[in-house]
């Protein structure tokens, strides 16, 4: 119990970002959050336009299963590659669906 209290008290007043960095999972967590937000935004936009996955896939000239992978935030799409490339040029990837 004392170990748990020491761990908790060590993080009182610190930000979630600081905690995730200390745990070594900040980048992984941030990537997952971005992927989940993009998938959610795309799904919401499709619903607002009454676009089915089949129609959306056709518009993208891809298969329905490929669209499912794109909308699955646990699937590895090119986002991780873009983040690495941005880091190499001293930038941080920022994505907004407008």
């Amino acid at each position: 119990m004392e170990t748990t209290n020491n761990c908790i008290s060590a993080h009182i007043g610190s930000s979630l970002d600081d905690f995730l960095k200390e745990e070594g999972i900040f980048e992984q967590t941030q990537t997952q959050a971005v992927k989940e937000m993009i998938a959610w935004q795309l799904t919401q936009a499709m619903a607002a336009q009454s676009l089915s996955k089949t129609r959306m896939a056709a518009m993208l000239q891809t298969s329905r299963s490929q669209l499912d992978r794109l909308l699955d935030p646990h699937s590895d799409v090119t986002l991780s590659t873009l983040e690495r490339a941005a880091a190499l040029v001293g930038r941080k990837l920022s994505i907004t669906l407008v």
Side-chain angles (χ1 to χ4, degrees):
M1 183 72 171
E2 187 171 320
T3 302
T4 303
N5 287 339
N6 288 341
C7 181
I8 292 170
S9 65
H11 294 289
I12 292 176
S14 67
S15 72
L16 179 59
D17 288 354
D18 292 338
F19 173 75
L20 295 173
K21 287 174 185 174
E22 287 174 18
E23 295 297 312
I25 58 171
F26 177 76
E27 287 80 16
Q28 174 188 356
T29 305
Q30 186 177 31
T31 297
Q32 186 62 36
V34 169
K35 289 167 68 176
E36 288 180 16
M37 182 56 72
I38 291 169
W40 180 81
Q41 288 178 332
L42 284 172
T43 301
Q44 293 298 306
M46 287 171 57
Q49 297 179 26
S50 300
L51 286 175
S52 68
K53 286 183 177 181
T54 302
R55 177 70 182 130
M56 182 73 165
M59 292 170 65
L60 291 169
Q61 298 180 340
T62 192
S63 67
R64 164 81 190 265
S65 61
Q66 186 63 29
L67 178 63
D68 285 338
R69 282 191 288 279
L70 176 69
L71 296 175
D72 178 2
H74 300 290
S75 175
D76 189 21
V77 293
T78 59
L79 180 58
S80 59
T81 303
L82 291 173
E83 286 181 324
R84 285 195 319 269
L88 288 173
V89 295
R91 302 292 179 138
K92 191 171 196 172
L93 184 64
S94 176
I95 299 175
T96 303
L97 185 63
V98 180

